[in-house]
mmCIF file with all atom_site columns, all heavy atoms in Angstrom:
data_model
loop_
_atom_site.group_PDB
_atom_site.id
_atom_site.type_symbol
_atom_site.label_atom_id
_atom_site.label_alt_id
_atom_site.label_comp_id
_atom_site.label_asym_id
_atom_site.label_entity_id
_atom_site.label_seq_id
_atom_site.pdbx_PDB_ins_code
_atom_site.Cartn_x
_atom_site.Cartn_y
_atom_site.Cartn_z
_atom_site.occupancy
_atom_site.B_iso_or_equiv
_atom_site.pdbx_formal_charge
_atom_site.auth_seq_id
_atom_site.auth_comp_id
_atom_site.auth_asym_id
_atom_site.auth_atom_id
_atom_site.pdbx_PDB_model_num
ATOM 1   N N   . TYR X 1 139 ? -11.370 -16.282 -59.295 1.00 0.00 ? 139 TYR X N   1
ATOM 2   C CA  . TYR X 1 139 ? -12.126 -16.833 -60.417 1.00 0.00 ? 139 TYR X CA  1
ATOM 3   C C   . TYR X 1 139 ? -12.064 -15.877 -61.609 1.00 0.00 ? 139 TYR X C   1
ATOM 4   O O   . TYR X 1 139 ? -12.216 -14.668 -61.462 1.00 0.00 ? 139 TYR X O   1
ATOM 5   C CB  . TYR X 1 139 ? -13.584 -17.124 -60.044 1.00 0.00 ? 139 TYR X CB  1
ATOM 6   C CG  . TYR X 1 139 ? -14.425 -15.908 -59.688 1.00 0.00 ? 139 TYR X CG  1
ATOM 7   C CD1 . TYR X 1 139 ? -15.053 -15.154 -60.672 1.00 0.00 ? 139 TYR X CD1 1
ATOM 8   C CD2 . TYR X 1 139 ? -14.610 -15.528 -58.362 1.00 0.00 ? 139 TYR X CD2 1
ATOM 9   C CE1 . TYR X 1 139 ? -15.838 -14.046 -60.348 1.00 0.00 ? 139 TYR X CE1 1
ATOM 10  C CE2 . TYR X 1 139 ? -15.384 -14.429 -58.023 1.00 0.00 ? 139 TYR X CE2 1
ATOM 11  C CZ  . TYR X 1 139 ? -15.995 -13.690 -59.023 1.00 0.00 ? 139 TYR X CZ  1
ATOM 12  O OH  . TYR X 1 139 ? -16.755 -12.591 -58.688 1.00 0.00 ? 139 TYR X OH  1
ATOM 13  N N   . ALA X 1 140 ? -11.807 -16.447 -62.778 1.00 0.00 ? 140 ALA X N   1
ATOM 14  C CA  . ALA X 1 140 ? -11.819 -15.679 -64.033 1.00 0.00 ? 140 ALA X CA  1
ATOM 15  C C   . ALA X 1 140 ? -13.149 -15.969 -64.709 1.00 0.00 ? 140 ALA X C   1
ATOM 16  O O   . ALA X 1 140 ? -13.269 -16.920 -65.489 1.00 0.00 ? 140 ALA X O   1
ATOM 17  C CB  . ALA X 1 140 ? -10.648 -16.092 -64.917 1.00 0.00 ? 140 ALA X CB  1
ATOM 18  N N   . GLU X 1 141 ? -14.163 -15.174 -64.391 1.00 0.00 ? 141 GLU X N   1
ATOM 19  C CA  . GLU X 1 141 ? -15.501 -15.463 -64.905 1.00 0.00 ? 141 GLU X CA  1
ATOM 20  C C   . GLU X 1 141 ? -15.505 -15.494 -66.439 1.00 0.00 ? 141 GLU X C   1
ATOM 21  O O   . GLU X 1 141 ? -14.883 -14.677 -67.087 1.00 0.00 ? 141 GLU X O   1
ATOM 22  C CB  . GLU X 1 141 ? -16.503 -14.424 -64.398 1.00 0.00 ? 141 GLU X CB  1
ATOM 23  C CG  . GLU X 1 141 ? -17.934 -14.788 -64.733 1.00 0.00 ? 141 GLU X CG  1
ATOM 24  C CD  . GLU X 1 141 ? -18.949 -13.828 -64.133 1.00 0.00 ? 141 GLU X CD  1
ATOM 25  O OE1 . GLU X 1 141 ? -18.548 -12.766 -63.622 1.00 0.00 ? 141 GLU X OE1 1
ATOM 26  O OE2 . GLU X 1 141 ? -20.149 -14.153 -64.191 1.00 0.00 ? 141 GLU X OE2 1
ATOM 27  N N   . ASP X 1 142 ? -16.231 -16.466 -66.972 1.00 0.00 ? 142 ASP X N   1
ATOM 28  C CA  . ASP X 1 142 ? -16.313 -16.706 -68.419 1.00 0.00 ? 142 ASP X CA  1
ATOM 29  C C   . ASP X 1 142 ? -14.951 -17.038 -69.004 1.00 0.00 ? 142 ASP X C   1
ATOM 30  O O   . ASP X 1 142 ? -14.662 -16.728 -70.165 1.00 0.00 ? 142 ASP X O   1
ATOM 31  C CB  . ASP X 1 142 ? -16.943 -15.510 -69.139 1.00 0.00 ? 142 ASP X CB  1
ATOM 32  C CG  . ASP X 1 142 ? -17.601 -15.908 -70.466 1.00 0.00 ? 142 ASP X CG  1
ATOM 33  O OD1 . ASP X 1 142 ? -17.847 -17.116 -70.660 1.00 0.00 ? 142 ASP X OD1 1
ATOM 34  O OD2 . ASP X 1 142 ? -17.864 -15.026 -71.293 1.00 0.00 ? 142 ASP X OD2 1
ATOM 35  N N   . ALA X 1 143 ? -14.137 -17.733 -68.211 1.00 0.00 ? 143 ALA X N   1
ATOM 36  C CA  . ALA X 1 143 ? -12.827 -18.176 -68.707 1.00 0.00 ? 143 ALA X CA  1
ATOM 37  C C   . ALA X 1 143 ? -12.984 -19.105 -69.904 1.00 0.00 ? 143 ALA X C   1
ATOM 38  O O   . ALA X 1 143 ? -12.106 -19.177 -70.770 1.00 0.00 ? 143 ALA X O   1
ATOM 39  C CB  . ALA X 1 143 ? -12.054 -18.882 -67.594 1.00 0.00 ? 143 ALA X CB  1
ATOM 40  N N   . GLY X 1 144 ? -14.110 -19.798 -69.977 1.00 0.00 ? 144 GLY X N   1
ATOM 41  C CA  . GLY X 1 144 ? -14.349 -20.705 -71.095 1.00 0.00 ? 144 GLY X CA  1
ATOM 42  C C   . GLY X 1 144 ? -14.293 -20.005 -72.438 1.00 0.00 ? 144 GLY X C   1
ATOM 43  O O   . GLY X 1 144 ? -13.903 -20.599 -73.441 1.00 0.00 ? 144 GLY X O   1
ATOM 44  N N   . ARG X 1 145 ? -14.697 -18.729 -72.458 1.00 0.00 ? 145 ARG X N   1
ATOM 45  C CA  . ARG X 1 145 ? -14.683 -17.974 -73.718 1.00 0.00 ? 145 ARG X CA  1
ATOM 46  C C   . ARG X 1 145 ? -13.576 -16.922 -73.730 1.00 0.00 ? 145 ARG X C   1
ATOM 47  O O   . ARG X 1 145 ? -13.632 -15.958 -74.494 1.00 0.00 ? 145 ARG X O   1
ATOM 48  C CB  . ARG X 1 145 ? -16.048 -17.335 -73.953 1.00 0.00 ? 145 ARG X CB  1
ATOM 49  C CG  . ARG X 1 145 ? -17.171 -18.347 -74.137 1.00 0.00 ? 145 ARG X CG  1
ATOM 50  C CD  . ARG X 1 145 ? -18.462 -17.695 -74.576 1.00 0.00 ? 145 ARG X CD  1
ATOM 51  N NE  . ARG X 1 145 ? -18.996 -16.809 -73.542 1.00 0.00 ? 145 ARG X NE  1
ATOM 52  C CZ  . ARG X 1 145 ? -20.082 -16.055 -73.692 1.00 0.00 ? 145 ARG X CZ  1
ATOM 53  N NH1 . ARG X 1 145 ? -20.733 -16.058 -74.842 1.00 0.00 ? 145 ARG X NH1 1
ATOM 54  N NH2 . ARG X 1 145 ? -20.516 -15.284 -72.693 1.00 0.00 ? 145 ARG X NH2 1
ATOM 55  N N   . THR X 1 146 ? -12.575 -17.117 -72.883 1.00 0.00 ? 146 THR X N   1
ATOM 56  C CA  . THR X 1 146 ? -11.434 -16.201 -72.835 1.00 0.00 ? 146 THR X CA  1
ATOM 57  C C   . THR X 1 146 ? -10.263 -16.792 -73.602 1.00 0.00 ? 146 THR X C   1
ATOM 58  O O   . THR X 1 146 ? -9.969  -17.992 -73.474 1.00 0.00 ? 146 THR X O   1
ATOM 59  C CB  . THR X 1 146 ? -11.013 -15.947 -71.371 1.00 0.00 ? 146 THR X CB  1
ATOM 60  O OG1 . THR X 1 146 ? -12.122 -15.389 -70.649 1.00 0.00 ? 146 THR X OG1 1
ATOM 61  C CG2 . THR X 1 146 ? -9.838  -14.985 -71.292 1.00 0.00 ? 146 THR X CG2 1
ATOM 62  N N   . ASP X 1 147 ? -9.588  -15.969 -74.386 1.00 0.00 ? 147 ASP X N   1
ATOM 63  C CA  . ASP X 1 147 ? -8.398  -16.401 -75.118 1.00 0.00 ? 147 ASP X CA  1
ATOM 64  C C   . ASP X 1 147 ? -7.360  -16.968 -74.149 1.00 0.00 ? 147 ASP X C   1
ATOM 65  O O   . ASP X 1 147 ? -7.076  -16.372 -73.102 1.00 0.00 ? 147 ASP X O   1
ATOM 66  C CB  . ASP X 1 147 ? -7.802  -15.207 -75.871 1.00 0.00 ? 147 ASP X CB  1
ATOM 67  C CG  . ASP X 1 147 ? -6.473  -15.523 -76.505 1.00 0.00 ? 147 ASP X CG  1
ATOM 68  O OD1 . ASP X 1 147 ? -6.456  -16.218 -77.521 1.00 0.00 ? 147 ASP X OD1 1
ATOM 69  O OD2 . ASP X 1 147 ? -5.439  -15.074 -75.943 1.00 0.00 ? 147 ASP X OD2 1
ATOM 70  N N   . ASN X 1 148 ? -6.799  -18.119 -74.471 1.00 0.00 ? 148 ASN X N   1
ATOM 71  C CA  . ASN X 1 148 ? -5.878  -18.802 -73.554 1.00 0.00 ? 148 ASN X CA  1
ATOM 72  C C   . ASN X 1 148 ? -4.650  -17.971 -73.201 1.00 0.00 ? 148 ASN X C   1
ATOM 73  O O   . ASN X 1 148 ? -4.195  -17.968 -72.052 1.00 0.00 ? 148 ASN X O   1
ATOM 74  C CB  . ASN X 1 148 ? -5.438  -20.142 -74.151 1.00 0.00 ? 148 ASN X CB  1
ATOM 75  C CG  . ASN X 1 148 ? -6.544  -21.184 -74.113 1.00 0.00 ? 148 ASN X CG  1
ATOM 76  O OD1 . ASN X 1 148 ? -7.598  -20.953 -73.516 1.00 0.00 ? 148 ASN X OD1 1
ATOM 77  N ND2 . ASN X 1 148 ? -6.306  -22.325 -74.748 1.00 0.00 ? 148 ASN X ND2 1
ATOM 78  N N   . GLU X 1 149 ? -4.091  -17.290 -74.184 1.00 0.00 ? 149 GLU X N   1
ATOM 79  C CA  . GLU X 1 149 ? -2.887  -16.502 -73.916 1.00 0.00 ? 149 GLU X CA  1
ATOM 80  C C   . GLU X 1 149 ? -3.178  -15.368 -72.933 1.00 0.00 ? 149 GLU X C   1
ATOM 81  O O   . GLU X 1 149 ? -2.427  -15.144 -71.975 1.00 0.00 ? 149 GLU X O   1
ATOM 82  C CB  . GLU X 1 149 ? -2.325  -15.938 -75.229 1.00 0.00 ? 149 GLU X CB  1
ATOM 83  C CG  . GLU X 1 149 ? -1.015  -15.184 -75.042 1.00 0.00 ? 149 GLU X CG  1
ATOM 84  C CD  . GLU X 1 149 ? -0.439  -14.669 -76.351 1.00 0.00 ? 149 GLU X CD  1
ATOM 85  O OE1 . GLU X 1 149 ? -0.961  -15.060 -77.426 1.00 0.00 ? 149 GLU X OE1 1
ATOM 86  O OE2 . GLU X 1 149 ? 0.518   -13.877 -76.295 1.00 0.00 ? 149 GLU X OE2 1
ATOM 87  N N   . TYR X 1 150 ? -4.281  -14.656 -73.146 1.00 0.00 ? 150 TYR X N   1
ATOM 88  C CA  . TYR X 1 150 ? -4.640  -13.577 -72.214 1.00 0.00 ? 150 TYR X CA  1
ATOM 89  C C   . TYR X 1 150 ? -5.002  -14.146 -70.849 1.00 0.00 ? 150 TYR X C   1
ATOM 90  O O   . TYR X 1 150 ? -4.610  -13.609 -69.805 1.00 0.00 ? 150 TYR X O   1
ATOM 91  C CB  . TYR X 1 150 ? -5.809  -12.758 -72.775 1.00 0.00 ? 150 TYR X CB  1
ATOM 92  C CG  . TYR X 1 150 ? -6.327  -11.722 -71.790 1.00 0.00 ? 150 TYR X CG  1
ATOM 93  C CD1 . TYR X 1 150 ? -5.535  -10.633 -71.431 1.00 0.00 ? 150 TYR X CD1 1
ATOM 94  C CD2 . TYR X 1 150 ? -7.579  -11.847 -71.201 1.00 0.00 ? 150 TYR X CD2 1
ATOM 95  C CE1 . TYR X 1 150 ? -5.986  -9.695  -70.518 1.00 0.00 ? 150 TYR X CE1 1
ATOM 96  C CE2 . TYR X 1 150 ? -8.043  -10.919 -70.290 1.00 0.00 ? 150 TYR X CE2 1
ATOM 97  C CZ  . TYR X 1 150 ? -7.247  -9.839  -69.944 1.00 0.00 ? 150 TYR X CZ  1
ATOM 98  O OH  . TYR X 1 150 ? -7.677  -8.905  -69.028 1.00 0.00 ? 150 TYR X OH  1
ATOM 99  N N   . LEU X 1 151 ? -5.744  -15.262 -70.841 1.00 0.00 ? 151 LEU X N   1
ATOM 100 C CA  . LEU X 1 151 ? -6.133  -15.882 -69.575 1.00 0.00 ? 151 LEU X CA  1
ATOM 101 C C   . LEU X 1 151 ? -4.898  -16.265 -68.769 1.00 0.00 ? 151 LEU X C   1
ATOM 102 O O   . LEU X 1 151 ? -4.854  -16.067 -67.541 1.00 0.00 ? 151 LEU X O   1
ATOM 103 C CB  . LEU X 1 151 ? -6.997  -17.116 -69.847 1.00 0.00 ? 151 LEU X CB  1
ATOM 104 C CG  . LEU X 1 151 ? -7.549  -17.862 -68.628 1.00 0.00 ? 151 LEU X CG  1
ATOM 105 C CD1 . LEU X 1 151 ? -8.435  -16.957 -67.789 1.00 0.00 ? 151 LEU X CD1 1
ATOM 106 C CD2 . LEU X 1 151 ? -8.321  -19.102 -69.069 1.00 0.00 ? 151 LEU X CD2 1
ATOM 107 N N   . ALA X 1 152 ? -3.875  -16.790 -69.435 1.00 0.00 ? 152 ALA X N   1
ATOM 108 C CA  . ALA X 1 152 ? -2.638  -17.158 -68.739 1.00 0.00 ? 152 ALA X CA  1
ATOM 109 C C   . ALA X 1 152 ? -1.971  -15.935 -68.118 1.00 0.00 ? 152 ALA X C   1
ATOM 110 O O   . ALA X 1 152 ? -1.407  -16.008 -67.015 1.00 0.00 ? 152 ALA X O   1
ATOM 111 C CB  . ALA X 1 152 ? -1.686  -17.856 -69.707 1.00 0.00 ? 152 ALA X CB  1
ATOM 112 N N   . ARG X 1 153 ? -2.047  -14.795 -68.802 1.00 0.00 ? 153 ARG X N   1
ATOM 113 C CA  . ARG X 1 153 ? -1.471  -13.559 -68.245 1.00 0.00 ? 153 ARG X CA  1
ATOM 114 C C   . ARG X 1 153 ? -2.213  -13.158 -66.963 1.00 0.00 ? 153 ARG X C   1
ATOM 115 O O   . ARG X 1 153 ? -1.593  -12.771 -65.972 1.00 0.00 ? 153 ARG X O   1
ATOM 116 C CB  . ARG X 1 153 ? -1.561  -12.425 -69.270 1.00 0.00 ? 153 ARG X CB  1
ATOM 117 C CG  . ARG X 1 153 ? -0.609  -12.550 -70.446 1.00 0.00 ? 153 ARG X CG  1
ATOM 118 C CD  . ARG X 1 153 ? -0.789  -11.380 -71.407 1.00 0.00 ? 153 ARG X CD  1
ATOM 119 N NE  . ARG X 1 153 ? -0.622  -10.093 -70.708 1.00 0.00 ? 153 ARG X NE  1
ATOM 120 C CZ  . ARG X 1 153 ? -1.196  -8.960  -71.080 1.00 0.00 ? 153 ARG X CZ  1
ATOM 121 N NH1 . ARG X 1 153 ? -2.004  -8.931  -72.145 1.00 0.00 ? 153 ARG X NH1 1
ATOM 122 N NH2 . ARG X 1 153 ? -0.981  -7.855  -70.398 1.00 0.00 ? 153 ARG X NH2 1
ATOM 123 N N   . VAL X 1 154 ? -3.545  -13.250 -67.011 1.00 0.00 ? 154 VAL X N   1
ATOM 124 C CA  . VAL X 1 154 ? -4.344  -12.900 -65.827 1.00 0.00 ? 154 VAL X CA  1
ATOM 125 C C   . VAL X 1 154 ? -4.006  -13.834 -64.668 1.00 0.00 ? 154 VAL X C   1
ATOM 126 O O   . VAL X 1 154 ? -3.739  -13.392 -63.540 1.00 0.00 ? 154 VAL X O   1
ATOM 127 C CB  . VAL X 1 154 ? -5.856  -12.994 -66.139 1.00 0.00 ? 154 VAL X CB  1
ATOM 128 C CG1 . VAL X 1 154 ? -6.668  -12.736 -64.872 1.00 0.00 ? 154 VAL X CG1 1
ATOM 129 C CG2 . VAL X 1 154 ? -6.246  -12.015 -67.236 1.00 0.00 ? 154 VAL X CG2 1
ATOM 130 N N   . ILE X 1 155 ? -4.003  -15.133 -64.950 1.00 0.00 ? 155 ILE X N   1
ATOM 131 C CA  . ILE X 1 155 ? -3.777  -16.123 -63.897 1.00 0.00 ? 155 ILE X CA  1
ATOM 132 C C   . ILE X 1 155 ? -2.365  -16.021 -63.331 1.00 0.00 ? 155 ILE X C   1
ATOM 133 O O   . ILE X 1 155 ? -2.149  -16.117 -62.111 1.00 0.00 ? 155 ILE X O   1
ATOM 134 C CB  . ILE X 1 155 ? -4.055  -17.550 -64.437 1.00 0.00 ? 155 ILE X CB  1
ATOM 135 C CG1 . ILE X 1 155 ? -5.520  -17.682 -64.855 1.00 0.00 ? 155 ILE X CG1 1
ATOM 136 C CG2 . ILE X 1 155 ? -3.701  -18.590 -63.389 1.00 0.00 ? 155 ILE X CG2 1
ATOM 137 C CD1 . ILE X 1 155 ? -6.525  -17.386 -63.756 1.00 0.00 ? 155 ILE X CD1 1
ATOM 138 N N   . ASP X 1 156 ? -1.392  -15.808 -64.184 1.00 0.00 ? 156 ASP X N   1
ATOM 139 C CA  . ASP X 1 156 ? -0.015  -15.639 -63.706 1.00 0.00 ? 156 ASP X CA  1
ATOM 140 C C   . ASP X 1 156 ? 0.092   -14.430 -62.779 1.00 0.00 ? 156 ASP X C   1
ATOM 141 O O   . ASP X 1 156 ? 0.751   -14.492 -61.735 1.00 0.00 ? 156 ASP X O   1
ATOM 142 C CB  . ASP X 1 156 ? 0.923   -15.469 -64.903 1.00 0.00 ? 156 ASP X CB  1
ATOM 143 C CG  . ASP X 1 156 ? 2.386   -15.391 -64.483 1.00 0.00 ? 156 ASP X CG  1
ATOM 144 O OD1 . ASP X 1 156 ? 2.867   -16.358 -63.850 1.00 0.00 ? 156 ASP X OD1 1
ATOM 145 O OD2 . ASP X 1 156 ? 3.049   -14.374 -64.770 1.00 0.00 ? 156 ASP X OD2 1
ATOM 146 N N   . ALA X 1 157 ? -0.596  -13.347 -63.135 1.00 0.00 ? 157 ALA X N   1
ATOM 147 C CA  . ALA X 1 157 ? -0.545  -12.125 -62.319 1.00 0.00 ? 157 ALA X CA  1
ATOM 148 C C   . ALA X 1 157 ? -1.184  -12.341 -60.948 1.00 0.00 ? 157 ALA X C   1
ATOM 149 O O   . ALA X 1 157 ? -0.645  -11.899 -59.925 1.00 0.00 ? 157 ALA X O   1
ATOM 150 C CB  . ALA X 1 157 ? -1.235  -10.980 -63.057 1.00 0.00 ? 157 ALA X CB  1
ATOM 151 N N   . VAL X 1 158 ? -2.330  -13.013 -60.891 1.00 0.00 ? 158 VAL X N   1
ATOM 152 C CA  . VAL X 1 158 ? -2.989  -13.203 -59.593 1.00 0.00 ? 158 VAL X CA  1
ATOM 153 C C   . VAL X 1 158 ? -2.231  -14.218 -58.742 1.00 0.00 ? 158 VAL X C   1
ATOM 154 O O   . VAL X 1 158 ? -2.243  -14.131 -57.503 1.00 0.00 ? 158 VAL X O   1
ATOM 155 C CB  . VAL X 1 158 ? -4.476  -13.599 -59.750 1.00 0.00 ? 158 VAL X CB  1
ATOM 156 C CG1 . VAL X 1 158 ? -5.253  -12.491 -60.442 1.00 0.00 ? 158 VAL X CG1 1
ATOM 157 C CG2 . VAL X 1 158 ? -4.643  -14.927 -60.462 1.00 0.00 ? 158 VAL X CG2 1
ATOM 158 N N   . CYS X 1 159 ? -1.574  -15.204 -59.382 1.00 0.00 ? 159 CYS X N   1
ATOM 159 C CA  . CYS X 1 159 ? -0.749  -16.136 -58.614 1.00 0.00 ? 159 CYS X CA  1
ATOM 160 C C   . CYS X 1 159 ? 0.414   -15.405 -57.954 1.00 0.00 ? 159 CYS X C   1
ATOM 161 O O   . CYS X 1 159 ? 0.738   -15.641 -56.783 1.00 0.00 ? 159 CYS X O   1
ATOM 162 C CB  . CYS X 1 159 ? -0.216  -17.246 -59.524 1.00 0.00 ? 159 CYS X CB  1
ATOM 163 S SG  . CYS X 1 159 ? -1.454  -18.486 -59.960 1.00 0.00 ? 159 CYS X SG  1
#
Side-chain angles (χ1 to χ4, degrees):
Y139 65 85
E141 188 175 11
D142 205 17
R145 296 189 295 176
T146 301
D147 172 75
N148 287 353
E149 184 178 350
Y150 174 67
L151 183 60
R153 288 180 56 207
V154 176
I155 297 303
D156 184 59
V158 297
C159 285

